[in-house]
Amino acid sequence: MRFDIPVYFQTVKQGEYDASTGNYGEDIIEEIKRYADVTSAGTETLNLVYGGIKQGIVVIRLQNHYDKPFDQIRIGKQVYRVDFSRKLRNKHTFVASEVQ
């Protein structure tokens, strides 16, 4: 396994309310970069997590645990939400689906 793909754990902070205009400001996205092994999910994983076949699912494996809170994960330009997470002795695995 190669842990060579940059993965960005994103935390989204809501924009603040501007009383003078009545609008909310832009959301602020903070990212933390980690390197991971990213593969397409196999049929067994899809059946286990979703109960059937689904498109746009990836398995993200980190060499160490990731314990900080986050809202979503970005790989390249695509954003994913975590559907299943599992901590092993040293590694951390996420099963994530594309956000449309």
Side-chain angles (χ1 to χ4, degrees):
M1 261 186 252
R2 286 187 161 174
F3 296 87
D4 59 348
I5 298 174
V7 173
Y8 300 90
F9 290 86
Q10 295 183 334
T11 304
V12 180
K13 292 186 178 181
Q14 298 285 329
E16 293 185 16
Y17 179 72
D18 185 2
S20 62
T21 62
N23 296 326
Y24 286 90
E26 294 291 321
D27 292 343
I28 299 169
I29 298 176
E30 295 178 356
E31 295 184 331
I32 297 175
K33 182 179 182 180
R34 296 285 186 262
Y35 286 95
D37 174 53
V38 180
T39 58
S40 296
T43 306
E44 290 180 22
T45 304
L46 292 173
N47 284 330
L48 179 68
V49 176
Y50 302 105
I53 303 297
K54 217 175 160 185
Q55 296 292 320
I57 307 299
V58 294
V59 178
I60 303 165
R61 295 175 190 86
L62 299 176
Q63 284 184 316
N64 299 312
H65 293 162
Y66 187 83
D67 295 324
K68 297 178 184 175
F70 66 93
D71 296 315
Q72 55 196 17
I73 297 175
R74 181 176 67 83
I75 303 170
K77 293 183 180 181
Q78 186 59 48
V79 177
Y80 296 88
R81 71 177 162 87
V82 174
D83 297 322
F84 179 75
S85 173
R86 184 172 192 186
K87 285 186 181 180
L88 303 172
R89 181 181 299 171
N90 295 322
K91 297 182 179 173
H92 203 152
T93 303
F94 301 97
V95 177
S97 58
E98 288 183 10
V99 174
Q100 300 295 326

